[in-house]
């Protein structure tokens, strides 16, 4: 029985611990300085908006850990002696490990903007960030958010829910257009504006001004020089692996901690997973650092197998992701690049309301389906994945498209409209045969 | 827009104040000719007693009069008992001459209602407008402006709001424990029978023992789902008001006589009869379901499942539970709610009901057959196809109230494992109790014998009616909305829900499917599950949800920000719905051990 120590109680560290417990009898300790128990980082916004309490974001009840013999330690690891396999914590405690899993997560990016360390300036990553937002919220006249990614829009929605005016400074010409295809990006930009959020596109942060007491009082827009008065500045220009403190320790670090397919780092018995890991080998179309929930979970499961003597390679499978832009849900399966490459064709339908769309990408040579992008409509993960992995031709997908629809009962189905567009575009006469419904899906998987 | 909403709240509060104050308005004056008592011996004895007490021809405040009328009735009953002991007049049956305790209760209400006069009796419509009218207008002024906001889930600030934030664990217990003890003690006083209160107490302790020790919940303190910081005091006040309302309605109706008088003209319009307290209750219930149903429609207008379902409960409450029974009465047919099903409708097999239906001609027989078929064929069959939701969140009146008036409180259900363990014991226990009681009652009906295996059918009946029929489903069921969520009765107490749940669990096409690996464990689904199902614990494993308690309200699916959940019926795999069809991505059998 060896002692597995996990630094970080986020989704990746906790998934690793759960699977190690399922697969072995190892002693397991999780150390984190952020919270006593695992909570869902993705739900931070709902705490602020009053949809949930912190307690509700914990995926397991507090007794779960003891029952599963997972020791929890709240402390900050300040240094690691990899030779002696020894951790030193801020409290002065030391701990020996046999196997170490680094699941350190990310931290918010700061690009050296003047004033970025003032009071009233913060990112949105940790519980502590949330507390700070909360502290500045009473009587807040305006918040400025710098950066237009997924966290930026969440922060905008948070302030908006409390009727605090929000300005968003976004570098791109349209919201998230480095990821979303232009049509979708345009829809979301419009949706943001419809929610009375002051969205400024194509601008950067120049500097954050001090009110004389070390607190932010306004921001200067770099391009126009305009000064926007505000009581809070949110920095949401992406995140990067939280590994600064491990540089110079002999651990091979690039952007994140470098790992091989078994999630082993350059040092024996040390593994890295989740946001802080950087894959040395990636599968086609995948990035070395993928700071999302699902990959953290898969890495946690994979590392557990590797630690418990059943070596497996990390295989994130087909790309998928989802988000919610204020009221518009977003799901993506497979390849949906922001700029259509030459070997890819696209089929796009948009609802007249501007809050629903379906996009299917397929290969221009083989007409095999390659990706799905949904706004305001839900599609089944497994069905889309199977079609893509099975290299299903677009026409066969369209014939059965209803099978992918995952919207609640009674919701209108729009698959026919998409098929019509295809028939028009390609001058074909494809008929939609399968409507939404579970029974057909089940027989599809039999 | 905010201003309009504030005016709405103001009007609503005003109507509530007037509604409450009405109870003390006017006066009761007992006269020798206005008691409304037809039994001559009784009337004479009451008049004598009233005269001796010096209240005859004296005006009293309606609230104070209840106690004085009760004491007069007790005196009259004593007098009659004495006379009876000395010898009744010839040819008069004992039960015609003496005045039993249930008669005293009935007479209290009769006398209070017959001797009351005052502004409410003089201007019932005015007061109806000042209470119901203002409340409806105020409610709509608050609700309708919401149609102009963006459609989408609106849960902003629920946990910042004193009404909907919930109570700390110890404050919650301060409601629950006195409620249990108080009910048992009151039941004892009322029924003068120690046996059943003791059995109940014993069962409550036994269940706690089983949950805590046998099922190892002792250390599983459910920190997660009680309000951690501070208690929502508006919630406490709302709870106290609702509980008080139900106590008066069920056990001290003489105090709410003015409310009944106020709605009497409405009743006369519909059925031609004077209102009873049950008419008052039915009318309030229907109005609340409609007004709060409109609120539900604003909140979920982007979600057609929720819209259709809300129309459905509004319709069934208004037509089936309220209007049709009253119209039947007007047509001299038995009062009958076609959608109420045994064992929720626990007195369906009571002899008076069977007698009434079987002697009311063709329609009565149809009602009897209809009720039986619904129970033994309708429930299993429809539940097989659609799950128990067809009843619980589309048709049922209790469900209708929970889904409309209860919606702001759905997040307060307890999601802990310990609560689930309690739930299973209690709800199946109630189902068992309903079956036992009905067996006894039918045995009595067919054989004429009241005792079976030492259990007296009359005692069991009255204890069940008191404890489950009134205490649990009413006082706790609705009074506890702001304390333990909107489905306390449906989750812990309803025997029909237990029955539907068994079918749903073992033989049904219904389940909630999860969308592959898309769950981010955020917890919205669990938080807003009114049945306290920890939906997330399934969703994050990629496991479909098949739970007997799920009423298929669809709110988990509606609030999920990642589109993970879908309520659906599938015919392919009825027997293996709970199998872990898919997990995160790597499942154990996909793992190939590398050499
Ligand atoms: C607001 C927000 C919304 C998001 N929404 C989504 C979404 O919708 N979908 C999605 O896929 N992804 C989302 N993400 C990203 C996702 O949450 C992260 O990818 C995921 O949480 C990373 O998990 P992790 O286990 O790698 O690290 P983390 O969850 O960051 O856990 C790391 C933990 O380790 C602790 N730690 C680090 N160093 C030390 C040390 N030296 N000593 C002690 N403790 C230490 C940290 O305090 C932290 O608690 C979101 C992120 C944020 C911030
Ligand atoms: S609401 Fe959706 S994403 Fe959140 S925990 Fe539930 S199923 Fe998962
Ligand atoms: S699991 Fe979902 S559908 Fe079922 S009762 Fe809970 S919230 Fe409603």
């Amino acid at each position: 029985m060896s002692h597995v120590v996990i630094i970080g109680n986020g989704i990746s560290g906790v998934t690793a611990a759960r699977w190690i417990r399922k697969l072995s009898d190892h002693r397991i300790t999780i150390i984190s300085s952020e919270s006593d128990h695992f909570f869902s980082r993705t739900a931070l916004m709902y705490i602020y908006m009053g949809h949930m309490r912190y307690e509700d974001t914990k995926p397991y009840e507090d007794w779960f850990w003891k029952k599963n013999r997972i020791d929890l330690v709240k402390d900050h690891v300040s240094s690691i002696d990899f030779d002696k396999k020894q951790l030193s914590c801020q409290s002065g405690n030391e701990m020996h490990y046999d196997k170490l899993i680094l699941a350190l997560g990310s931290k918010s990016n700061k690009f050296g903007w003047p004033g970025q360390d003032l009071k009233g300036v913060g990112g949105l990553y940790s519980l502590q960030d949330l507390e700070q937002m909360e502290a500045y919220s009473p009587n807040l006249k305006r918040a400025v958010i710098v950066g237009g990614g997924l966290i930026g829009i969440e922060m905008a929605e948070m302030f908006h829910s409390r009727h605090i005016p929000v300005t968003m400074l976004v570098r791109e010409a349209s919201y998230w257009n480095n990821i979303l295809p232009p049509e979708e990006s345009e829809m979301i930009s419009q949706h943001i504006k419809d929610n009375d959020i002051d969205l400024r596109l194509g601008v950067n942060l120049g500097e954050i001004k001090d009110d004389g007491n070390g607190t932010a009082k306004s921001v200067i827009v770099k391009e126009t020089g305009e000064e926007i008065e505000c009581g809070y500045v949110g920095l949401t220009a992406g995140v990067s692996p939280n590994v600064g403190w491990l540089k110079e320790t002999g651990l091979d670090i690039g952007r994140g901690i470098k790992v091989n397919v078994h999630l082993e780092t350059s040092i024996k018995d040390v593994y890295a997973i989740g946001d802080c890991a950087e894959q040395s080998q990636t599968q086609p179309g995948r990035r070395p650092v993928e700071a999302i929930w699902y990959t953290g979970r898969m890495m946690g499961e994979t590392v557990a197998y590797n630690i418990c003597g059943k070596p497996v390679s990390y295989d994130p499978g087909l790309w998928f992701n989802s988000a919610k832009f204020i009221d518009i849900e977003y799901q993506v399966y497979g390849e949906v690049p922001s700029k259509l490459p030459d070997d890819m064709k696209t089929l796009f339908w948009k609802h007249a309301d501007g809050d629903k769309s379906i996009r299917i990408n397929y290969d221009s040579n083989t007409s095999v389906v390659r990706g799905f992008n949904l706004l305001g409509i839900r599609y089944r993960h497994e069905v889309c994945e199977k079609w893509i992995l099975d290299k299903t031709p677009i026409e066969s997908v369209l014939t059965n498209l209803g099978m992918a629809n995952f919207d609640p009962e009674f919701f209108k189905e729009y698959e026919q409209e998409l098929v019509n567009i295809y028939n028009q575009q390609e001058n074909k006469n494809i008929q939609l045969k399968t409507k939404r419904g579970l029974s057909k899906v089940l027989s599809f998987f039999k | 827009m905010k201003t309009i909403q504030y005016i709405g709240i103001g009007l609503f509060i005003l109507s509530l104040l007037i509604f409450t104050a009405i109870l003390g308005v006017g006066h009761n004056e007992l006269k020798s000719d206005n008691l409304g008592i037809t039994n001559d011996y009784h009337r004479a004895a009451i008049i004598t007693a009233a005269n001796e007490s010096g209240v005859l021809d004296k005006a009293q405040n309606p609230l104070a009069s209840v106690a004085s009328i009760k004491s007069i009735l007790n005196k009259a009953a004593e007098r009659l008992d004495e006379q009876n002991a000395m010898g009744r007049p010839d040819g008069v049956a004992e039960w015609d001459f003496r005045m039993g305790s249930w008669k005293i209760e009935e007479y209290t209400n009769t006398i209070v209602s017959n001797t009351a006069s005052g502004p409410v009796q003089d201007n019932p419509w005015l007061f109806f407008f000042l209470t119901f009218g203002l409340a409806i207008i105020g409610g709509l002024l608050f609700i309708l402006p919401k149609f102009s906001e963006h459609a989408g889930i609106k849960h902003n600030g629920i946990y910042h709001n004193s009404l909907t934030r919930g109570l700390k664990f110890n404050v919650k217990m301060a409601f629950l424990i006195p409620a249990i003890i108080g009910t048992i003690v009151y039941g004892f006083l009322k029924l003068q029978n120690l046996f059943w209160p003791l059995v109940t107490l014993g069962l409550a302790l036994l269940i706690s023992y089983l949950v805590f020790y046998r099922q190892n919940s002792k250390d599983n303190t459910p920190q997660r789902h009680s309000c951690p910081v501070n208690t929502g005091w508006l919630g406490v006040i709302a709870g106290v008001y609702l509980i008080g309302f139900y106590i008066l309605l069920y056990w001290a109706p003489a105090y709410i006589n003015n409310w009944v008088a106020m709605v009497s003209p409405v009743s006369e319009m519909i059925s031609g009869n004077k209102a009873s307290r049950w008419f008052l209750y039915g009318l309030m219930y229907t109005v609340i379901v409609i007004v709060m149903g409109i609120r539900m429609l604003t909140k979920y207008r982007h979600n057609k499942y929720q819209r259709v379902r809300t129309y459905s409960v509004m319709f069934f409450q208004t037509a089936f539970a309220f209007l049709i029974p009253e119209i039947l009465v007007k047509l001299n047919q038995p009062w009958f709610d076609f959608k109420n099903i045994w064992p929720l409708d626990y007195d369906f097999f009571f002899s008076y009901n069977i007698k009434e239906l079987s002697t009311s001609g063709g329609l009565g027989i149809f009602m009897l057959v209809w009720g039986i078929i619904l129970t033994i064929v309708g429930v299993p069959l429809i539940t097989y196809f659609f799950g128990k939701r067809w009843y619980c969140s589309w048709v049922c009146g209790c469900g209708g109230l929970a889904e409309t008036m209860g919606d702001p409180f759905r997040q307060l259900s307890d999601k802990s494992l310990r609560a689930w363990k309690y739930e299973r014991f209690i709800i199946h226990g109630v189902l068992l109790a309903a079956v036992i009681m009905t067996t006894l009652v039918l045995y009595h009906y067919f054989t004429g014998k009241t005792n079976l295996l030492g259990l007296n059918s009359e005692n069991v009946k009255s204890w069940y009616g008191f404890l489950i029929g009134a205490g649990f489903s009413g006082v706790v069921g609705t009074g506890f909305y702001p304390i333990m969520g909107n489905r306390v009765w449906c989750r812990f107490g309803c025997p029909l829900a237990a029955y539907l749940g068994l079918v749903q669990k073992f033989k049904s096409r219904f389940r909630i499917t999860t969308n592959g690996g898309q769950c981010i464990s955020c917890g919205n689904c669990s938080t807003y599950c009114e049945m306290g199902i920890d939906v997330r614990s399934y969703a994050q494993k990629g496991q479909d949800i098949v739970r007997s308690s799920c009423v298929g309200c669809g709110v988990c699916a509606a609030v999920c920000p990642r589109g993970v959940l879908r309520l659906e019926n599938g015919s392919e795999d009825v027997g293996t719905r709970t199998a872990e069809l898919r997990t995160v991505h790597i499942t154990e059998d996909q793992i190939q051990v590398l050499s």
Side-chain angles (χ1 to χ4, degrees):
Chain A
M1 192 179 87
S2 42
H3 186 193
V4 181
V5 176
I6 302 168
I7 309 182
N9 67 351
I11 179 66
S12 56
V14 160
T15 309
R18 281 181 43 240
W19 280 92
I20 294 172
R21 180 46 73 240
K22 274 192 196 189
L23 299 169
S24 79
D25 215 25
H26 293 319
R27 182 177 156 210
I28 305 171
T29 306
I30 304 183
I31 310 179
S32 169
S33 49
E34 183 180 7
S35 60
D36 287 319
H37 299 100
F38 170 45
F39 72 98
S40 181
R41 194 173 300 295
T42 50
L44 279 173
M45 63 184 296
Y46 300 109
I47 304 178
Y48 181 89
M49 300 203 298
H51 295 200
M52 285 194 268
R53 301 155 303 182
Y54 164 66
E55 279 65 27
D56 302 317
T57 68
K58 293 188 207 167
Y60 304 96
E61 289 190 67
D62 291 352
W63 49 262
F64 174 87
W65 310 102
K66 193 172 158 205
K67 187 171 162 232
N68 286 289
R69 289 176 292 125
I70 296 172
D71 295 336
L72 303 179
V73 175
K74 188 171 181 195
D75 208 336
H76 191 78
V77 179
S78 38
S79 65
I80 308 174
D81 186 333
F82 290 112
D83 297 330
K84 291 200 194 130
K85 293 192 164 183
Q86 190 89 9
L87 309 175
S88 313
C89 297
Q90 213 156 46
S91 65
N93 288 344
E94 307 220 313
M95 189 180 289
H96 177 82
Y97 66 83
D98 298 310
K99 311 249 182 197
L100 179 66
I101 302 178
L102 300 170
L104 308 171
S106 303
K107 52 185 194 3
S108 308
N109 284 337
K110 290 182 176 183
F111 292 113
W113 294 294
Q116 65 181 19
D117 295 318
L118 289 171
K119 280 186 267 174
V121 180
L124 173 61
Y125 191 82
S126 63
L127 271 178
Q128 288 72 27
D129 291 340
L130 191 72
E131 276 162 22
Q132 172 169 327
M133 269 179 78
E134 192 68 65
Y136 280 89
S137 290
N139 305 320
L140 187 57
K141 296 282 182 305
R142 174 169 296 275
V144 171
I145 294 171
V146 182
L150 291 174
I151 300 184
I153 195 169
E154 287 192 359
M155 204 188 232
E157 187 182 351
M158 288 159 79
F159 285 121
H160 184 59
S161 78
R162 294 209 192 167
H163 309 289
I164 297 169
V166 181
T167 300
M168 276 178 96
L169 305 184
V170 174
R171 192 179 50 186
E172 290 79 22
S174 171
Y175 174 78
W176 220 35
N177 71 357
N178 50 338
I179 306 283
L180 291 176
E183 290 83 359
E184 281 92 331
S185 169
E186 186 43 48
M187 283 166 70
I188 302 301
S189 303
Q190 191 55 46
H191 184 63
I192 297 174
K193 291 177 195 157
D194 287 347
N195 275 280
D196 299 325
I197 290 167
D198 173 24
L199 177 66
R200 310 282 185 92
L201 294 166
V203 292
N204 285 279
L205 171 64
E207 78 175 281
I208 305 172
K209 288 225 155 169
D210 189 339
D211 69 348
N213 300 317
T215 307
K217 73 161 197 221
S218 63
V219 300
I220 308 283
V221 180
K222 191 167 167 192
E223 282 71 14
T224 61
E226 184 192 350
E227 177 165 3
I228 305 172
E229 305 256 334
C230 62
Y232 192 83
V233 182
L235 301 180
T236 58
V239 296
S240 43
N242 174 21
V243 292
W245 62 290
L246 287 172
K247 296 201 167 134
E248 327 296 327
T249 53
L251 201 59
D252 187 5
I253 292 181
R255 274 192 62 212
I257 304 166
K258 295 252 188 179
V259 292
N260 64 14
V261 288
H262 296 131
L263 305 175
E264 293 159 336
T265 65
S266 58
I267 296 176
K268 192 170 175 320
D269 291 331
V270 179
Y271 301 76
I273 55 175
D275 280 18
C276 70
E278 177 180 343
Q279 309 294 326
S280 309
Q281 265 177 36
T282 50
Q283 291 171 346
R286 305 297 295 236
R287 280 163 295 137
V289 177
E290 285 177 337
I292 59 168
W293 187 261
Y294 320 103
T295 49
R297 198 172 55 194
M298 291 183 228
M299 284 187 231
E301 194 174 338
T302 310
V303 83
Y305 277 93
N306 285 308
I307 283 184
C308 297
K310 296 180 182 165
V312 287
S313 307
Y314 171 59
D315 173 14
L318 187 79
W319 169 255
F320 68 97
N321 199 4
S322 58
K324 191 170 179 185
F325 307 108
I326 311 183
D327 286 321
I328 301 185
E329 286 174 20
Y330 157 67
Q331 294 183 333
V332 55
Y333 302 107
E335 293 173 72
V336 184
S338 57
K339 263 190 71 199
L340 202 66
D342 291 339
D343 65 344
M344 199 186 264
K345 279 186 163 178
T346 195
L347 186 58
F348 180 74
W349 166 86
K350 176 176 142 184
H351 191 276
D353 293 352
D355 53 8
K356 290 180 205 68
S357 71
I358 307 173
R359 175 186 299 278
I360 305 182
N361 287 343
Y362 56 101
D363 200 285
S364 35
N365 305 315
T366 60
S367 79
V368 158
V369 70
R370 287 170 63 179
F372 294 81
N373 211 42
L374 293 311
L375 287 181
I377 288 184
R378 300 172 172 180
Y379 264 23
R380 284 183 203 267
H381 186 175
E382 300 94 327
V383 172
C384 295
E385 186 179 76
K386 187 166 155 64
W387 277 334
I388 296 173
L389 294 181
D390 290 354
K391 302 205 182 309
T392 317
I394 177 77
E395 298 192 353
S396 139
V397 166
L398 288 175
T399 313
N400 296 307
L401 194 57
M403 210 150 60
N405 191 309
F406 197 68
D407 270 344
E409 293 150 301
F410 302 112
F411 276 42
K412 196 164 167 359
E413 295 172 55
Y414 297 102
E415 280 68 33
Q416 185 63 54
E417 307 197 14
L418 198 71
V419 172
N420 293 346
I421 293 179
Y422 179 82
N423 285 339
Q424 238 168 31
Q425 258 177 22
E426 302 284 324
N427 211 358
K428 290 271 176 64
N429 189 20
I430 302 291
Q431 301 293 321
L432 175 68
K433 295 228 175 76
T434 317
K435 292 257 173 183
R436 178 172 60 209
L438 177 65
S439 298
K440 284 163 214 136
V441 176
L442 291 174
S443 29
F444 181 53
F445 277 96
K446 259 192 187 156
Chain B
M1 200 168 88
K2 274 267 163 285
T3 333
I4 296 180
Q5 288 192 311
Y6 283 131
I7 295 174
I9 300 181
L11 286 181
F12 180 77
I13 294 176
L14 181 67
S15 73
L16 208 59
L17 291 176
I18 298 175
F19 185 69
T20 315
I22 278 182
L23 293 182
V25 170
H27 51 263
N28 285 61
E29 190 174 332
L30 276 63
K31 299 198 186 118
S32 45
D33 61 351
N34 74 349
L35 301 180
I37 304 239
T38 45
N39 181 315
D40 291 335
Y41 304 107
H42 294 177
R43 193 179 53 243
I46 294 167
I47 292 172
T48 317
N51 205 1
E52 279 170 11
S53 315
V55 293
L56 203 61
D57 299 326
K58 278 223 181 83
Q60 274 180 300
N61 173 285
L63 296 179
S65 75
V66 177
S68 100
I69 289 170
K70 269 225 168 100
S71 89
I72 291 166
L73 286 168
N74 280 325
K75 266 191 210 151
E78 262 171 47
R79 171 87 34 90
L80 287 170
D81 286 348
E82 281 164 23
Q83 287 174 3
N84 180 52
M86 291 189 295
R88 305 187 283 282
D90 284 341
V92 179
E94 179 173 359
W95 47 268
D96 255 351
F97 189 77
R98 292 180 62 192
M99 214 158 90
S101 59
W102 66 273
K103 267 282 168 206
I104 295 186
E105 249 172 65
E106 185 193 316
Y107 284 170
T108 315
N109 299 335
T110 318
I111 296 177
V112 170
S113 114
N114 278 297
T115 59
S117 59
V120 179
Q121 283 73 13
D122 296 341
N123 302 298
W125 284 113
L126 173 69
F127 282 89
F128 186 67
F129 173 76
L130 289 177
T131 53
F132 279 72
L134 284 190
I136 294 171
I137 295 172
L140 291 179
L141 283 180
F142 183 72
I143 291 164
L144 291 177
K146 295 184 182 192
F147 274 113
S148 66
E149 291 171 6
H150 285 272
I153 300 292
K154 296 288 178 268
H155 283 144
N156 291 345
I158 278 208
Y159 278 111
H160 304 149
N161 183 320
S162 174
L163 181 63
T164 53
R165 145 201 310 156
L167 318 185
K168 271 204 258 190
F169 190 68
N170 47 3
V171 184
K172 198 149 83 178
M173 287 303 134
F175 270 88
L176 195 57
I177 293 169
I180 295 175
I181 296 179
T183 313
I184 292 175
V185 170
Y186 181 76
F188 164 66
L189 293 176
K190 193 172 139 74
L191 302 181
Q192 294 296 326
N193 174 338
L194 199 54
F195 179 68
W196 287 107
L198 281 182
V199 169
T200 310
L201 194 64
L203 284 175
L205 293 175
L206 176 71
I207 290 176
S208 283
Y209 166 78
L210 289 173
V211 167
F212 275 66
Y213 295 95
R214 274 307 159 86
Q215 302 207 335
N216 295 324
S217 258
K218 190 163 63 69
D219 302 322
N220 299 359
T221 322
Q223 300 96 327
R224 193 172 60 170
H225 290 295
S226 41
C227 187
V229 231
N230 47 12
T231 286
W233 291 107
L234 274 183
V236 171
I237 294 171
V240 170
Y241 194 91
L242 285 169
I243 291 171
F245 171 81
Y246 274 95
I247 290 179
L248 293 180
L249 176 73
Y250 282 117
W251 299 315
Y255 289 97
I256 57 171
N257 176 54
N258 275 347
W259 289 346
V260 178
M262 172 177 81
V263 298
S264 231
V266 185
S267 174
E268 280 161 36
M269 260 173 48
I270 301 175
S271 70
N273 292 334
K274 278 179 74 176
S276 69
R277 59 180 148 144
W278 303 120
F279 179 84
L280 165 78
Y281 185 46
L283 180 67
M284 283 178 75
Y285 207 104
T286 308
V287 166
I288 292 174
V289 166
I290 292 176
V291 174
M292 290 300 278
I294 296 174
R295 172 188 170 281
M296 201 62 187
L297 292 173
T298 68
K299 185 169 166 188
Y300 287 106
R301 63 186 182 281
H302 59 290
N303 186 316
K304 194 163 176 198
Y305 181 80
Q306 298 299 335
R307 271 188 345 250
V308 178
R309 187 174 73 88
T310 306
Y311 289 132
S312 174
V313 291
M314 287 159 82
F315 166 76
F316 277 101
Q317 174 58 34
T318 315
F320 279 66
F322 184 62
L323 288 178
I324 294 178
E326 295 294 334
I327 292 169
L328 284 171
V329 171
K330 182 163 190 153
L331 302 176
N332 279 322
Q333 297 290 340
W335 193 102
F336 193 77
D337 177 351
F338 282 93
K339 63 155 184 51
N340 205 356
I341 305 180
W342 182 91
L344 172 60
D345 186 9
Y346 63 92
D347 51 8
F348 184 78
F349 292 107
F350 282 10
S351 53
Y352 71 79
N353 194 47
I354 301 186
K355 274 187 201 127
E356 186 184 2
L357 295 185
S358 55
T359 55
S360 302
L363 189 59
I365 299 286
F366 171 75
M367 290 167 177
L368 195 60
V369 174
W370 170 257
I372 295 171
I373 288 187
L374 263 189
T375 299
I376 57 184
V377 184
V379 165
L381 196 69
I382 312 180
T383 310
Y384 170 75
F385 283 106
F386 304 110
K388 84 197 243 190
R389 55 184 170 152
W390 77 272
Y391 194 74
C392 296
S393 57
W394 285 73
V395 172
C396 178
C398 309
L401 192 71
E403 295 294 345
T404 50
M405 172 169 134
D407 179 69
F409 305 106
R410 56 172 59 247
Q411 67 282 0
L412 301 178
S413 60
D414 188 335
K415 281 84 180 180
S416 63
L417 190 62
R418 187 194 275 179
W420 184 17
K421 289 177 174 169
Y422 266 112
E423 170 194 317
R424 284 182 295 192
F425 279 113
I426 299 173
I427 193 168
H428 294 120
V430 174
L431 175 61
L432 195 66
V435 170
I436 293 176
M437 175 192 70
T438 305
T439 313
L440 290 174
V441 166
L442 286 176
Y443 178 78
H444 182 186
Y445 182 78
F446 287 113
T447 65
K449 292 185 198 136
T450 43
N451 279 333
L452 181 67
L453 302 173
L455 298 175
N456 176 295
S457 75
E458 289 303 309
N459 279 341
V460 174
K461 231 166 77 176
S462 52
W463 185 244
Y464 186 97
F466 164 76
L467 187 75
I468 309 292
F472 206 157
S473 79
V475 180
V476 175
T478 308
F480 272 51
Y481 276 13
I483 298 161
M484 290 172 67
N486 55 336
R487 287 270 194 180
V488 178
W489 160 248
C490 313
R491 179 182 179 194
F492 292 97
C494 176
L496 179 58
Y499 172 27
L500 289 154
L502 289 172
V503 180
Q504 167 157 298
K505 172 108 200 187
F506 294 109
K507 208 81 202 152
S508 169
R509 294 180 170 189
F510 172 74
R511 85 291 310 270
I512 302 176
T513 46
T514 52
N515 200 6
Q518 288 282 24
C519 176
I520 52 170
S521 301
C522 68
N524 274 294
C525 51
S526 298
T527 304
Y528 288 95
C529 175
E530 54 191 355
M531 297 305 281
I533 298 173
D534 194 356
V535 184
R536 164 174 55 193
S537 68
Y538 301 84
Q540 65 192 0
K541 285 189 283 191
Q543 191 181 8
D544 291 352
I545 298 138
V546 177
R547 278 278 292 267
S548 55
S549 62
C550 170
V551 292
C553 64
V555 168
C556 54
V559 299
C560 173
R562 295 294 177 270
V564 178
L565 304 163
R566 181 162 196 268
L567 280 60
E568 44 195 346
N569 314 306
S571 53
E572 296 290 314
D573 60 342
V574 172
T576 53
R577 284 170 301 157
T578 43
E580 279 186 56
L581 293 176
R582 27 201 128 91
T583 38
V584 178
H585 240 111
I586 307 166
T587 57
E588 264 178 81
D589 34 59
Q590 273 172 13
I591 299 273
Q592 302 118 23
V593 179
L594 307 181
S595 51

